[in-house]
Amino acid sequence: MTTTPSRSVPSAASPAPTGAELVERAEALRPLLREHAPRIDADRRLTDAVVDELTEAGLFRLTVPRRFGGYETDVRTLIDVTAALAEGDGSTGWVVAVVNTCNWLAALFPEQAQEDVFGADPDARVTGVFSPTATSDRIEGGWRVSGRWYYNSGAPHSSWAVVGIPLTDADGAVTDQAMALVPRSELRCEDTWFVAGMRGTASNCLVAEDVFVPEHRVMSVPGAIEGDVPADHGPTGLFRVAFAPFLAVGLTGPQLGLGRAALKLVTEKAATKPIAYTYYGTQAESVGVQTRVAEAAMRIDTAHLHAHRAAADLDTAAARGAQLDLLTRARVRADSGHAVDNLMSALNTLVDVHGAGSFADANALQRIWRDASVAARHAASTPAVGMEIYGKLLLGVEERITPFI
């Protein structure tokens, strides 16, 4: 069971830490994360000590409204903090990214719903899945919901969940798709997360059986995509960030951190690691290795440039109170996929350079490679889908393959 640290809750009026300060807090946790990473991978969940330290550092409240004591930071900071954490452990970076993304979703709901989630606990941890794999019936005051939602990252450590539900009329016909905020205590968690990588995210299945969800904790997804949300947007603009692009860009941070971790490991080992069946004393002496490492580093840099460009577009528009046009939103999603694509290419190059020893259980590079390979397949940042969406709009093709732009 995750413990709750006994500490004072900062006042909502306290100045929020800067983005640089939050990144420093994440970097300070890296030694602990590297130490716990093998156990996190083996146990398929974050350790209580890691969750407590993340909470103590305030890293679950990046996207919590300031009036509840949150930091209400920007997209760039979310990316950089989760990248810094993922350099220590990929699963930890991923869970922090997903929780902050879902906390951001909770902050788009009406005031009463936000009070329900954050009012007594600014360190609330919301997990969630959008897929409307549920049934719902309107009843007095809200909805009765039953369903199963797979892949809720950080599920064992969460206190709330935001889950997709269909909205139906009196005849049972689906009239809309919505998100519902549900206390985690009202959902059953099934241990279904048996995977090759990102094992420590504990992305398990949450199950609802005739759960009552009051009306104020149900929100239309198509409305949110168009920026029509009931929340007060707050002083920073964070809650005006374009909906679908935020979901894609917010998950690039852990991938960036995994790429940096792999580059660091391979370059450090190259100083002493020989190349079998050659006259080279070390890998670092080989022109072939030098060239390939440089290629990998440039691809990691490319990923950062695209992720940061996307974040800058989202943050700048939100701060101005402007709506991003459809083409830019599509390009932001393509940026996310392109960043992931470059990171995977870099990782594969680094594994090739490092050699067969990359896949030894004792080598952290095999865990980094597994984590990145699984994370890269998340539907929100699939490179092929992002490029198709962007290409259609560049060419004036009106066909839409998804509403999530």
Side-chain angles (χ1 to χ4, degrees):
M1 176 179 291
T2 300
T3 58
T4 302
S6 57
R7 63 188 177 82
S8 60
V9 175
S11 163
S14 302
T18 66
E21 289 170 340
L22 291 166
V23 172
E24 287 177 4
R25 294 183 191 182
E27 290 171 345
L29 292 178
R30 282 205 294 251
L32 174 74
L33 299 182
R34 291 191 181 110
E35 177 191 345
H36 283 238
R39 185 144 65 92
I40 288 171
D41 189 62
D43 293 350
R44 298 182 299 111
R45 57 179 290 161
L46 305 191
T47 62
D48 290 347
V50 163
V51 173
D52 288 349
E53 289 298 322
L54 292 167
T55 305
E56 183 68 23
L59 300 184
F60 288 119
R61 57 171 70 183
L62 301 179
T63 57
V64 173
R66 287 188 181 174
R67 63 182 176 280
F68 296 115
Y71 301 150
E72 207 171 317
T73 185
D74 56 16
V75 180
R76 169 66 184 257
T77 300
L78 173 63
I79 290 173
D80 290 349
V81 166
T82 53
L85 293 172
E87 279 193 73
D89 176 61
S91 290
T92 299
W94 186 264
V95 168
V96 173
V98 168
V99 167
N100 276 293
T101 298
C102 292
N103 282 356
W104 180 81
L105 291 173
L108 303 181
F109 278 72
E111 178 78 18
Q112 181 57 54
Q114 296 179 47
E115 283 285 348
D116 293 348
V117 176
F118 302 115
D121 182 13
D123 290 311
R125 296 185 285 270
V126 184
T127 184
V129 170
F130 265 5
S131 303
T133 49
T135 60
S136 66
D137 300 300
R138 182 179 283 283
I139 58 177
E140 184 177 356
W143 297 83
R144 182 174 57 214
V145 173
S146 295
R148 302 174 65 86
W149 299 271
Y150 287 87
Y151 314 137
N152 297 270
S153 296
H157 309 290
S158 61
S159 46
W160 285 78
V162 56
V163 293
I165 63 170
L167 300 185
T168 55
D169 61 18
D171 298 323
V174 176
T175 59
D176 199 359
Q177 181 180 341
M179 297 178 287
L181 269 171
V182 184
R184 170 69 180 75
S185 58
E186 297 180 12
L187 301 169
R188 189 174 77 249
C189 184
E190 292 186 353
D191 186 10
T192 56
W193 187 244
F194 297 92
V195 289
M198 286 292 177
R199 292 164 51 86
T201 62
S203 303
N204 287 307
C205 179
L206 293 179
V207 182
E209 295 170 348
D210 289 332
V211 170
F212 172 69
V213 183
E215 194 70 56
H216 69 272
R217 285 202 251 118
V218 175
M219 186 174 73
S220 168
V221 170
I225 291 173
E226 296 304 319
D228 181 14
V229 297
D232 171 9
H233 284 137
T236 66
L238 176 65
F239 306 117
R240 285 193 296 266
V241 171
F243 185 86
F246 179 89
L247 302 182
V249 174
L251 295 179
T252 59
Q255 293 282 75
L256 295 171
L258 287 166
R260 299 198 307 241
L263 180 63
K264 184 173 188 296
L265 186 152
V266 171
T267 53
E268 286 181 351
K269 294 290 184 183
T272 55
K273 194 172 191 295
I275 304 178
Y277 309 121
T278 75
Y279 293 120
Y280 284 115
T282 69
Q283 288 185 330
E285 298 169 12
S286 161
V287 173
V289 168
Q290 294 162 7
T291 303
R292 300 221 70 193
V293 166
E295 290 172 355
M298 292 299 285
R299 287 194 177 277
I300 294 169
D301 288 347
T302 298
H304 280 79
L305 291 170
H306 280 273
H308 286 161
R309 177 175 74 165
D313 280 345
L314 294 176
D315 288 333
T316 301
R320 291 202 320 262
Q323 292 283 340
L324 278 184
D325 62 89
L326 187 63
L327 183 62
T328 305
R329 281 157 40 197
R331 203 216 66 223
V332 166
R333 178 157 179 174
D335 273 333
S336 305
H338 194 56
V340 169
D341 212 20
N342 273 277
L343 286 162
M344 283 308 302
S345 177
L347 270 167
N348 287 330
T349 297
L350 291 169
V351 167
D352 289 344
V353 167
H354 197 64
S358 304
F359 302 101
D361 284 346
N363 192 332
L365 187 57
Q366 56 85 24
R367 187 177 60 253
I368 293 170
W369 178 75
R370 286 189 286 110
D371 285 348
S373 297
V374 170
R377 272 70 178 185
H378 193 282
S381 53
T382 304
V385 173
M387 289 299 182
E388 182 177 354
I389 294 168
Y390 189 38
K392 284 184 188 300
L393 286 167
L394 285 172
L395 294 167
V397 177
E398 294 184 356
E399 179 191 11
R400 297 287 178 269
I401 62 170
T402 175
F404 287 93
I405 304 176

